[in-house]
Amino acid sequence: MKAKDILKRYIFSTLGMLLVALGIAVSIVANLGTSPLNAASYAMAEGLEGLSVGTCNFIIYAIFVLLQFVVLGKDFKAADLLQLVANILLSLMIDGSLWLLHACGIIPGSLAMQFVFIVLACVITAFGISMEVAAQAWMLPAEMTVSAFTRRFGGKFDTNKVIMDCLMLLLGALLCLWFFDGRPFGPEGKPIIGWGTLIMAVCIGLMMKGSSPLIDKLWNRIYR
């Protein structure tokens, strides 16, 4: 593969990662609960003073990479460590997106607008993931961990991905119980798990059925 083509892949994938980070930030600002995969990092950030959502995301994803190493053993390749670079970028993008939204005063003023924000977060995230899939460049720890467990223990990737999302949601609920006086959904007035979590769990995958064909067409034009 030519260096020019590799550069295109990583630029396109990085832009997709930026959209994913923005989607996470918009869901947090909506204040209806974030996605199942990010519930644990959000709970940590709210429960541990001085840690940002991006920092907590980095910690959890770094643990994912360690799990891959344990599960795969000698099949874990040096190139798989690129996940850590992607992890750093994504974590910085999450914190940067949150800072930008707050700096610009972009906060929903009503319950209706909160749901609009959640739907917008789903759309942004769907397009971001579609871009990452189309470019096939950066390896993100969450998906690579699912892939590692699928290779080692079998099953279908999609099924194992659902199981992982459920486990991360459970971890988020347990952290909420620990940090917020037995509240499994987060502190009062600032839900970690809520209606927004359910909407994102259902809608992102459905929206990707529309976003992926559009992104594939765009990618094919760029990659010619």
Side-chain angles (χ1 to χ4, degrees):
M1 188 181 296
K2 297 179 180 178
K4 181 180 178 181
D5 292 335
I6 294 174
L7 183 60
K8 284 182 180 179
R9 285 184 178 277
Y10 276 92
I11 290 176
F12 199 75
S13 183
T14 301
L15 291 174
M17 195 187 304
L18 179 59
L19 287 182
V20 171
L22 181 59
I24 293 170
V26 171
S27 72
I28 290 174
V29 169
N31 200 32
L32 286 174
T34 190
S35 68
L37 190 59
N38 296 291
S41 57
Y42 188 22
M44 282 180 63
E46 289 297 315
L48 298 173
E49 187 175 353
L51 292 181
S52 67
V53 178
T55 301
C56 293
N57 183 83
F58 176 83
I59 293 170
I60 290 175
Y61 276 18
I63 294 173
F64 283 171
V65 177
L66 180 60
L67 280 174
Q68 292 171 39
F69 179 78
V70 172
V71 168
L72 293 177
K74 63 180 181 181
D75 291 329
F76 187 89
K77 308 300 182 184
D80 293 337
L81 292 175
L82 281 174
Q83 295 172 78
L84 293 175
V85 179
N87 187 14
I88 292 171
L89 287 175
L90 179 62
S91 299
L92 290 173
M93 288 174 179
I94 292 171
D95 285 345
S97 297
L98 281 169
W99 175 86
L100 183 62
L101 290 174
H102 287 299
C104 294
I106 302 177
I107 299 173
S110 65
L111 181 60
M113 284 304 299
Q114 286 179 279
F115 279 100
V116 170
F117 269 51
I118 281 293
V119 173
L120 181 60
C122 291
V123 173
I124 294 171
T125 304
F127 273 92
I129 295 174
S130 294
M131 290 174 70
E132 292 176 353
V133 171
Q136 295 182 352
W138 288 119
M139 301 177 293
L140 287 173
E143 286 71 27
M144 288 298 293
T145 302
V146 176
S147 178
F149 274 82
T150 302
R151 287 164 58 189
R152 179 67 178 82
F153 301 109
K156 295 182 178 180
F157 181 91
D158 292 347
T159 302
N160 291 339
K161 178 67 167 65
V162 172
I163 293 173
M164 180 176 183
D165 286 351
C166 291
L167 289 174
M168 291 303 296
L169 183 61
L170 177 61
L171 176 60
L174 291 174
L175 289 173
C176 286
L177 284 170
W178 178 266
F179 288 127
F180 309 118
D181 299 322
R183 296 176 181 270
F185 303 121
E188 187 174 359
K190 200 169 189 179
I192 307 297
I193 300 169
W195 286 110
T197 306
L198 178 61
I199 292 171
M200 295 191 77
V202 173
C203 290
I204 291 175
L206 294 175
M207 289 180 178
M208 284 183 66
K209 293 182 179 180
S211 64
S212 291
L214 295 174
I215 293 299
D216 287 342
K217 289 180 181 178
L218 175 61
W219 174 243
N220 288 333
R221 290 183 181 181
I222 294 173
Y223 197 64
R224 285 176 181 173

